[in-house]
Amino acid sequence: MMKRNTEQDFAGIEKIKEKQAWQLAQFEEWAARQDWQRFHETHYDWWMFPVDQPSSYGFTWVVYDYEVNELKKDPVYVKNYLRGVELLLLAWGWDLYNEQLVENPAADQHWSNWPIRLYKCGSSLRLFGFTREFESVKKYAQYLMRQGHSFAYNNRDLRTIFLD
């Protein structure tokens, strides 16, 4: 039997899909305008890259095996999810599918010292079973670590999922 989110404050699968679609439309608008700074200063990771752990929103956006399975059955959700990952990484100056830094990035297209967001994105990719994309995110995280960037957040070491 698959674990599922039965918490009273859970938004539900349909609300996750709605919120993700709404957020992706914003992502697309920001990327089209090359307004990469908006990615750095806006909150979105809970519904764009859901994980299996509660957050400041409690269990509202938490997904377990059951919800992941249901969400992955929806090809539009999957397409939007992966596009969201791609745009987030572009905002940080990383090409998700070519697994390399963006050539000639815009001024605001850079790492913004949000290790918790990269951690959540990576954790979500692993939870959803998107291995190829996770490996690219991991490669970016390792690059950042080699550059001396900290992966500490609220007294937590977030490096562990990105280490070999």
Side-chain angles (χ1 to χ4, degrees):
M1 184 184 215
M2 281 192 256
K3 184 174 181 179
R4 70 188 295 170
N5 188 341
T6 58
E7 297 293 329
Q8 194 169 27
D9 62 341
F10 177 50
I13 292 171
E14 290 309 311
K15 185 67 177 176
I16 290 173
K17 290 178 183 182
E18 287 173 29
K19 189 79 169 177
Q20 181 223 48
W22 170 82
Q23 189 69 65
L24 181 63
Q26 287 192 320
F27 277 18
E28 293 287 4
E29 181 183 316
W30 302 340
R33 291 192 326 243
Q34 296 220 342
D35 187 1
W36 303 111
Q37 187 61 35
R38 291 297 300 237
F39 286 87
H40 306 321
E41 62 191 21
T42 307
H43 295 282
Y44 46 76
D45 32 315
W46 302 278
W47 46 84
M48 283 304 288
F49 316 114
V51 294
D52 56 359
Q53 305 205 0
S55 68
S56 59
Y57 284 96
F59 287 85
T60 305
W61 307 107
V62 172
V63 295
Y64 297 117
D65 293 339
Y66 175 81
E67 292 81 22
V68 169
N69 189 48
E70 291 300 305
L71 289 166
K72 285 183 73 175
K73 288 179 184 176
D74 183 339
V76 173
Y77 178 84
V78 169
K79 179 178 169 245
N80 289 349
Y81 175 93
L82 292 173
R83 178 66 175 156
V85 172
E86 182 179 20
L87 290 172
L88 175 63
L89 272 289
L90 279 174
W92 286 332
W94 185 257
D95 184 323
L96 180 68
Y97 291 108
N98 288 315
E99 298 184 5
Q100 64 185 23
L101 293 171
V102 170
E103 291 184 34
N104 304 311
D108 290 331
Q109 207 172 1
H110 57 77
W111 176 239
S112 59
N113 290 319
W114 279 106
I116 189 66
R117 287 196 177 150
L118 190 59
Y119 173 83
K120 284 182 185 177
C121 180
S123 295
S124 185
L125 286 166
R126 279 192 7 185
L127 180 64
F128 278 78
F130 295 118
T131 305
R132 176 182 177 209
E133 291 80 2
F134 172 74
E135 289 300 320
S136 180
V137 168
K138 179 178 163 183
K139 188 173 181 179
Y140 181 55
Q142 290 174 344
Y143 163 78
L144 292 170
M145 286 183 257
R146 285 191 309 274
Q147 300 304 307
H149 291 281
S150 171
F151 270 70
Y153 184 81
N154 283 349
N155 297 316
R156 289 175 54 204
D157 182 358
L158 304 177
R159 294 176 305 160
T160 55
I161 69 164
F162 300 121
L163 300 175
D164 286 324

